[in-house]
Amino acid sequence: MHDLAMQLAVIGVAGIASQWLAWRFQIPAIVMLLGVGLLFGPVTGLMNPRADFGELYTPLVSTAVAIILFEGGLTLNFREIRETSTAVRRVVLVSGPMVWIMTAITAHYVGAMSWPVSIILGALLVVTGPTVIMPLLRHARLRPRPASMLRWEAILNDPVGALFAVVSFEVYLVLRGAHDAENLFFTTILALVVAVAGGIIAGRTLARFFTHGHAPEYLKAPILLAVVVAMNAVTNLLLEEAGLLTVTVMGVTMANARLASLNELRRFKETITVLLVSGLFIILTASLQRSVILSLEWRVVAFLVMVLVVIRPIAIFVSTIGAGLEFKERLLVSWIAPRGIVAVAVAGLFGATLSRYGLPDADRMVAYTFAVVAATIILHGFTLQPLARILDLRVTNRPGILIVGASRFSIALAQRLKAQNVPVLIADSNWSHISEARLAEVEVWFGEILSEEAHHSLDLSRFDHMIAATDNDAYNALVCTDFGAEIGRSEVFQISSATGRPQTSGARHTMHFALGGIPLFKPPRSYNQVRDHVIDGWAFQATRLSEEFGIKEFHDTRPDETLPILWIRPSQEIIFAAAEGAGEPGPGDTIVSFGPPRAERDQEKIVRGTLTEREARRERARKTGEEVSTKQAEGTS
């Protein structure tokens, strides 16, 4: 396939399809992308992007990697690493050089490579790849501290490792007489100064430019993208791959600026990054030659064992001594270190150049790099989640619900969910409201949920759903709109949305359909209506369905006013009744419903002839909210 337009189309469709399948079947996306690239390239020979793209291949890959690293930098806020700042600094400044030195020695004595190739390979394998770490962290739901450690290390180590490799390569050229030593020293220092200072200046300048209204909203993202590409290219004129450090520093600088439009910019960049990661992994893997892969011998297995289970653990455990991390956190971080795009891209760039200088094992360096990348993606991709579960470093093993607004209704709902072992948290900025929730032994967060502090201190990875239940319709809609992008638009619900207003209220009183969340009840109920129900004695019940007592029996034994809110499947998945395409609960599901008091239900069943007076008295003696068993259900049918 040599038609570039068709090749790009196939790569794009295959990349996004791999991302979707990975999400659908809960497997690491990087593993699927790696498999697709191998299938398109070395296995079938369907495409060879390096040869087909020609001279455009290297600058396109370099630019794409720069954009990915900048987007990663945008996620790094210094407030997130208040507890791990010491550990992060040590991992970057101490562990990185240790990995470089130990890997170079291993490559020379175990891999039988020449010293120049070994040193460059050691530098390349310092990187841990944000393109791999980010999807894994999104899937693994780690606790904040180890997740922050892995994310910061991956983003900061990528440009650092690339610079190590560039400097090693340039030193080799100096030793061969191809470059002047003084010129290399001056260029390296100048490139580092330009990279760090230029990244900070560019980030602050753009932040001020946007804050002062010098650019309209629709141009902010394009301007940002253009500046990132330009800064990367300009710094690379001084020293190859130094632009990666520039854009990383620029991203971190902007992430810590008080920029109102940062969330929108981050979402735009995240969308581009998903596209680039999907395409790049396929392109880089498809560019591998079958002969290079076949050149791998038994030495690579010993090399992999040393890199994964000896070098990395030693470097992490030594560098984090006294850094305030628990042993299990250090153990997890010492194992999880997948390599990614930067390692493969830079190895391919230097491998070809070293081959031209007559180093016979330059191609083996590319093969070894690919072997490490493939092995770490597969091993770490499939073991991160089980290992985190064994070490008890996952946030939770089941989906949780975040409730905004503490009221008698939301507290009662939280208590019922807690009784079903569903993680639940109530957030409110009113201390008296929060106090009532605390007295009810419900986990709470006191503060403004829309504040910057909430986004940094409240771990949203714990929650798969959110309910906005304050007495302000507009505020509920604002909260759902803000959190919908992170939790999922189909997983945010609110009491009383505009869709629940009477038709006579007119279009001017109806919110735009793109704002707010899904009404919690069908048909929608306002906050005042729900409050009145609570005053009238309505309560929450949890009812488990069975083969004998199904959804029909559930409705038959309850008054028409009863409102099913959600049901919990045996797999612990939570389905909201108001969600689109929710369907109906089945045997084994537990329904959480909101309905009239039991006395009222009994009277209604008596009127309908489904319950005798004696049975009614017996039922009233039971505790409100008791779970209905199959035997009880048969007695009331």
Side-chain angles (χ1 to χ4, degrees):
M1 185 189 300
H2 299 291
D3 187 317
L4 287 184
M6 179 57 70
Q7 193 170 137
L8 288 172
V10 170
I11 290 172
V13 172
I16 298 304
S18 299
Q19 292 275 4
W20 182 83
L21 288 171
W23 167 81
R24 182 68 179 82
F25 295 105
Q26 294 294 295
I27 60 176
I30 302 300
V31 175
M32 292 207 64
L33 293 171
L34 186 70
V36 170
L38 288 174
L39 181 65
F40 285 173
V43 175
T44 63
L46 186 64
M47 62 177 68
N48 184 358
R50 180 183 291 275
D52 296 336
F53 286 26
E55 295 182 356
L56 290 175
Y57 179 85
T58 299
L60 285 177
V61 170
S62 176
T63 302
V65 172
I67 294 173
I68 293 169
L69 282 180
F70 173 76
E71 192 275 333
L74 279 180
T75 66
L76 301 182
N77 193 293
F78 290 128
R79 299 178 68 179
E80 293 182 358
I81 59 167
R82 283 176 293 193
E83 295 184 1
T84 58
S85 58
T86 302
V88 169
R89 284 198 303 270
R90 291 187 183 180
V91 167
V92 174
L93 300 177
V94 178
S95 174
M98 288 180 64
V99 170
W100 182 8
I101 294 171
M102 289 189 289
T103 304
I105 295 173
T106 303
H108 179 71
Y109 290 106
V110 176
M113 297 183 189
S114 62
W115 275 116
V117 173
S118 298
I119 292 173
I120 294 175
L121 177 60
L124 286 174
L125 296 184
V126 168
V127 305
T128 52
T131 55
V132 186
I133 284 290
M134 297 303 187
L136 292 183
L137 293 180
R138 191 179 299 119
H139 179 65
R141 300 166 62 94
L142 290 182
R143 289 184 181 176
R145 195 156 64 178
S148 175
M149 276 281 300
L150 291 172
R151 183 169 64 251
W152 275 81
E153 180 200 8
I155 294 171
L156 295 180
N157 263 0
D158 247 25
V160 170
L163 284 176
F164 284 167
V166 169
V167 171
S168 303
F169 176 72
E170 293 292 336
V171 168
Y172 170 73
L173 295 182
V174 168
L175 294 177
R176 287 187 58 92
H179 283 178
D180 181 67
E182 294 181 0
N183 182 55
L184 171 62
F185 179 78
F186 175 76
T187 302
T188 302
I189 297 300
L190 180 62
L192 290 175
V193 171
V194 170
V196 177
I200 294 174
I201 292 172
R204 289 183 176 177
T205 302
L206 270 181
R208 291 176 63 86
F209 186 75
F210 291 159
T211 302
H212 291 167
H214 297 309
E217 289 297 323
Y218 74 93
L219 278 181
K220 287 183 178 180
I223 289 173
L224 191 60
L225 184 62
V227 172
V228 169
V229 174
M231 292 298 295
N232 176 63
V234 169
T235 315
N236 282 345
L237 292 177
L238 296 173
L239 186 66
E240 195 70 33
E241 304 302 332
L244 299 182
L245 180 59
T246 306
V247 297
T248 303
V249 172
M250 180 179 163
V252 175
T253 301
M254 294 195 69
N256 291 274
R258 299 186 65 85
L259 191 59
S261 55
L262 184 61
N263 284 338
E264 289 75 13
L265 294 174
R266 187 182 290 127
R267 288 165 191 160
F268 170 77
K269 300 290 290 182
E270 185 177 5
T271 301
I272 292 181
T273 298
V274 170
L275 292 170
L276 291 177
V277 169
S278 304
L280 274 180
F281 252 99
I282 294 177
I283 288 174
L284 291 171
T285 311
S287 298
L288 287 169
Q289 298 297 314
R290 189 180 303 174
S291 59
V292 172
I293 298 177
L294 294 177
S295 68
L296 295 173
E297 72 284 324
W298 66 268
R299 292 179 181 272
V300 74
V301 178
F303 181 77
L304 285 173
V305 171
M306 289 294 296
V307 169
L308 269 62
V309 301
V310 178
I311 295 175
R312 169 73 177 181
I314 289 176
I316 292 297
F317 273 95
V318 170
S319 63
T320 57
I321 293 175
L325 297 179
E326 297 179 10
F327 174 81
K328 59 184 181 181
E329 292 173 330
R330 297 166 72 190
L331 182 62
L332 179 73
V333 173
S334 70
W335 170 244
I336 302 300
R339 276 63 170 187
I341 284 176
V342 173
V344 176
V346 179
L349 175 66
F350 292 157
T353 306
L354 291 173
S355 294
R356 290 198 300 270
Y357 278 96
L359 287 175
D361 48 2
D363 287 338
R364 292 178 61 231
M365 179 185 73
V366 178
Y368 271 54
T369 304
F370 170 74
V372 173
V373 170
T376 54
I377 285 176
I378 294 173
L379 292 176
H380 299 163
F382 283 109
T383 60
L384 174 57
Q385 196 168 352
L387 180 60
R389 186 182 298 111
I390 293 172
L391 297 176
D392 191 27
L393 290 176
R394 296 194 73 202
V395 172
T396 178
N397 288 326
R398 58 182 302 173
I401 299 177
L402 170 64
I403 302 177
V404 180
S407 63
R408 290 177 61 186
F409 168 82
S410 59
I411 293 172
L413 173 59
Q415 288 178 304
R416 175 52 60 192
L417 293 172
K418 182 180 177 182
Q420 300 303 311
N421 297 318
V422 175
V424 61
L425 179 142
I426 294 180
D428 201 307
S429 58
N430 188 307
W431 178 251
S432 62
H433 295 173
I434 282 291
S435 298
E436 294 180 17
R438 293 180 64 187
L439 290 174
E441 297 183 348
V442 175
E443 185 181 357
V444 299
W445 190 85
F446 174 59
E448 174 53 61
I449 194 66
L450 294 176
S451 67
E452 184 180 2
E453 178 65 25
H455 283 269
H456 293 310
S457 62
L458 191 60
D459 184 18
L460 291 178
S461 63
R462 299 170 52 194
F463 309 107
D464 294 286
H465 318 276
M466 191 190 73
I467 300 173
T470 73
D471 59 356
N472 188 319
D473 289 358
Y475 182 77
N476 290 341
L478 179 61
V479 169
C480 290
T481 302
D482 185 65
F483 284 89
E486 189 160 355
I487 295 179
R489 294 288 299 176
S490 61
E491 304 299 341
V492 290
F493 302 84
Q494 69 178 93
I495 292 179
S496 181
S497 66
T499 55
R501 299 179 186 274
Q503 295 297 321
T504 56
S505 62
R508 70 174 59 188
H509 296 290
T510 304
M511 289 185 187
H512 193 275
F513 69 90
L515 297 176
I518 301 171
L520 182 61
F521 299 105
K522 280 188 177 181
R525 301 289 178 100
S526 69
Y527 179 87
N528 290 338
Q529 288 175 313
V530 172
R531 180 195 59 194
D532 292 341
H533 289 328
V534 174
I535 293 174
D536 292 339
W538 284 38
F540 289 96
Q541 275 196 312
T543 308
R544 184 180 298 277
L545 302 184
S546 65
E547 294 291 346
E548 297 82 6
F549 186 77
I551 187 63
K552 182 179 181 301
E553 289 75 17
F554 172 83
H555 288 302
D556 288 344
T557 55
R558 280 154 180 78
D560 296 336
E561 292 89 346
T562 300
L563 302 170
I565 294 181
L566 56 88
W567 53 87
I568 307 167
R569 290 180 172 168
S571 63
Q572 300 179 347
E573 180 183 6
I574 297 174
I575 306 295
F576 278 77
E580 186 175 352
E584 288 190 341
D589 295 347
T590 300
I591 301 177
V592 175
S593 59
F594 183 54
R598 186 169 297 274
E600 183 177 335
R601 293 204 306 270
D602 293 344
Q603 184 61 37
E604 188 164 326
K605 285 187 278 188
I606 292 170
V607 172
R608 287 156 50 185
T610 60
L611 192 70
T612 67
E613 286 284 0
R614 180 177 298 177
E615 289 172 331
R617 287 194 298 271
R618 186 184 305 118
E619 287 290 323
R620 282 196 294 269
R622 297 184 182 276
K623 186 178 179 181
T624 301
E626 182 181 32
E627 188 171 291
V628 179
S629 66
T630 303
K631 186 177 295 183
Q632 290 171 323
E634 292 174 348
T636 58
S637 60

